[in-house]
Amino acid sequence: MKNSHLKPAGRAVRLSIFSLLAALLLAGTTFWGIPKVEANHPVLVEGNCDSPVPGTTLVAPGTCGDFDGDGRIGTAEDTDGADRIFGTLRAALGTGTGAASGTGANFNGKIIIVTSGRFYELLYIGNPPPNGGGAGTANPGNVTIEAAPGVEANLDAVFQGDPTSGNNARQDRPGIIINYLPAFSDRVVTLRNLTIRNYLVGVDILSSSRVNIDNCRFENNARSNIRVRDGSMVVVTNSQVQSAGFRIGTLPAPGEPGDGIQVSSVAKLRVADTTISHNKGAGINNEAPAANVVLFKVSTYFNTPDFVGSVTIAPDPNHSF
């Protein structure tokens, strides 16, 4: 009994030693011959405020989306150190360059947008494109891009006052391309809490990609807000898919119908708890007899028309078809 008062202290010491070991391992330190362990830390992306001048990357510390208080945003944040905080989504998705080399997600992990902003970017997730271009990676993993709760993250092709004059080029291309070849169909991409607008296609999903789109808003993309093709399998939940084909500035070409969601080939699409409205073309355009589209609690309004091709309304959320 006389030593019982030492038991809590002894337990605390043991916990402290365990915590130290865990911290050393997560930090990648070799300790007593234990090999280095790489932790799957999330990569953070700061927002921006596009002021005082478009393209500004140095601001007063803590302002204009500066999350870590170093006065750098955008591309200036991408290479300032190995802190796993980036200023652009494209840099965070890759391996990291300069002083940030090796600290990006490397197409395998979670990217969290931690302060509000607009991102004038084109993203390519998955295997390299057939025509090259330096995008993607030979061995992509599971990728999540999401905005933290309360953060407004806009991927927008139009940058008012763009100093690099890239608006026309961005408006003529998909905002996000997701391309996982059949050998990598066991990987999943998740997009969450994002607004994607003013591109040719909001998100273009091809090959054998598996994609979750949750709580996202698509608007004013010219050809379609979401395009699902080849053997892709896509789930859209809690989202708004609206106003495709309606865009001020560079207008869609006559052959771009402005569909809410386009589906082709043998792709599979599931949509739940989502509103599809005010698209210039069809709300959902199933272009191929072999493609499979199932809806549950989906509201469609003022599309032209709401559906083209085969669409199944599921009687319950567990009906997989």
Side-chain angles (χ1 to χ4, degrees):
M1 293 295 295
K2 66 180 180 179
N3 292 327
S4 62
H5 67 283
L6 296 177
K7 291 182 180 179
R11 187 180 302 113
V13 170
R14 288 194 299 273
L15 288 173
S16 296
I17 292 173
F18 176 80
S19 299
L20 176 60
L21 283 169
L24 289 170
L25 288 172
L26 289 174
T29 303
T30 300
F31 190 78
W32 289 345
I34 299 174
K36 185 159 75 172
V37 175
E38 296 292 340
N40 186 19
H41 297 296
V43 174
L44 307 184
V45 176
E46 296 180 333
N48 54 73
C49 62
D50 299 338
S51 66
V53 178
T56 296
T57 59
L58 301 178
V59 297
T63 66
C64 201
D66 176 25
F67 177 74
D68 58 0
D70 63 358
R72 298 171 180 266
I73 60 173
T75 54
E77 184 64 47
D78 288 338
T79 58
D80 69 334
D83 55 5
R84 292 188 181 270
I85 300 176
F86 292 82
T88 67
L89 294 169
R90 191 166 184 173
L93 183 60
T95 58
T97 59
S101 178
T103 65
N106 194 24
F107 295 89
N108 182 24
K110 177 178 281 191
I111 296 170
I112 304 174
I113 303 167
V114 291
T115 51
S116 297
R118 291 181 291 275
F119 301 91
Y120 307 99
E121 304 186 43
L122 300 171
L123 299 181
Y124 191 107
I125 306 172
N127 296 111
N131 59 353
T137 183
N139 185 27
N142 299 307
V143 173
T144 295
I145 301 177
E146 67 176 35
V151 170
E152 294 187 12
N154 294 286
L155 280 72
D156 199 332
V158 178
F159 185 2
Q160 185 176 7
D162 183 5
T164 62
S165 302
N167 285 340
N168 288 343
R170 284 190 296 269
Q171 288 182 93
D172 198 39
R173 296 180 61 186
I176 301 176
I177 297 175
I178 302 174
N179 176 39
Y180 281 68
L181 299 177
F184 300 90
S185 62
D186 59 345
R187 321 292 165 89
V188 178
V189 173
T190 299
L191 306 176
R192 183 178 292 118
N193 304 338
L194 306 174
T195 295
I196 302 171
R197 59 196 311 270
N198 286 323
Y199 295 95
L200 178 67
V201 177
V203 177
D204 195 3
I205 304 164
L206 57 153
S207 195
S208 297
S209 303
R210 292 175 177 261
V211 180
N212 292 317
I213 297 173
D214 180 52
N215 196 36
C216 289
R217 179 187 296 274
F218 297 85
E219 58 189 21
N220 305 117
N221 297 290
R223 181 174 296 165
S224 59
N225 281 316
I226 303 170
R227 182 162 61 178
V228 184
R229 44 188 178 140
D230 302 327
S232 298
M233 302 173 68
V234 177
V235 177
V236 180
T237 54
N238 308 305
S239 295
Q240 291 81 46
V241 182
Q242 61 192 37
S243 308
F246 293 99
R247 190 167 70 185
I248 296 174
T250 302
L251 297 177
E256 296 168 358
D259 292 330
I261 306 177
Q262 283 181 306
V263 188
S264 62
S265 190
V266 293
K268 294 183 179 180
L269 171 70
R270 304 292 183 264
V271 186
D273 298 298
T274 290
T275 298
I276 302 174
S277 66
H278 294 289
N279 295 287
K280 192 172 184 178
I284 295 179
N285 183 2
N286 185 355
E287 299 176 333
N292 186 270
V293 177
V294 180
L295 313 181
F296 176 76
K297 290 187 177 180
V298 173
S299 300
T300 57
Y301 306 103
F302 309 121
N303 306 288
T304 315
D306 287 333
F307 305 116
V308 171
S310 176
V311 174
T312 299
I313 309 299
D316 63 78
N318 298 316
H319 203 141
S320 62
F321 290 88

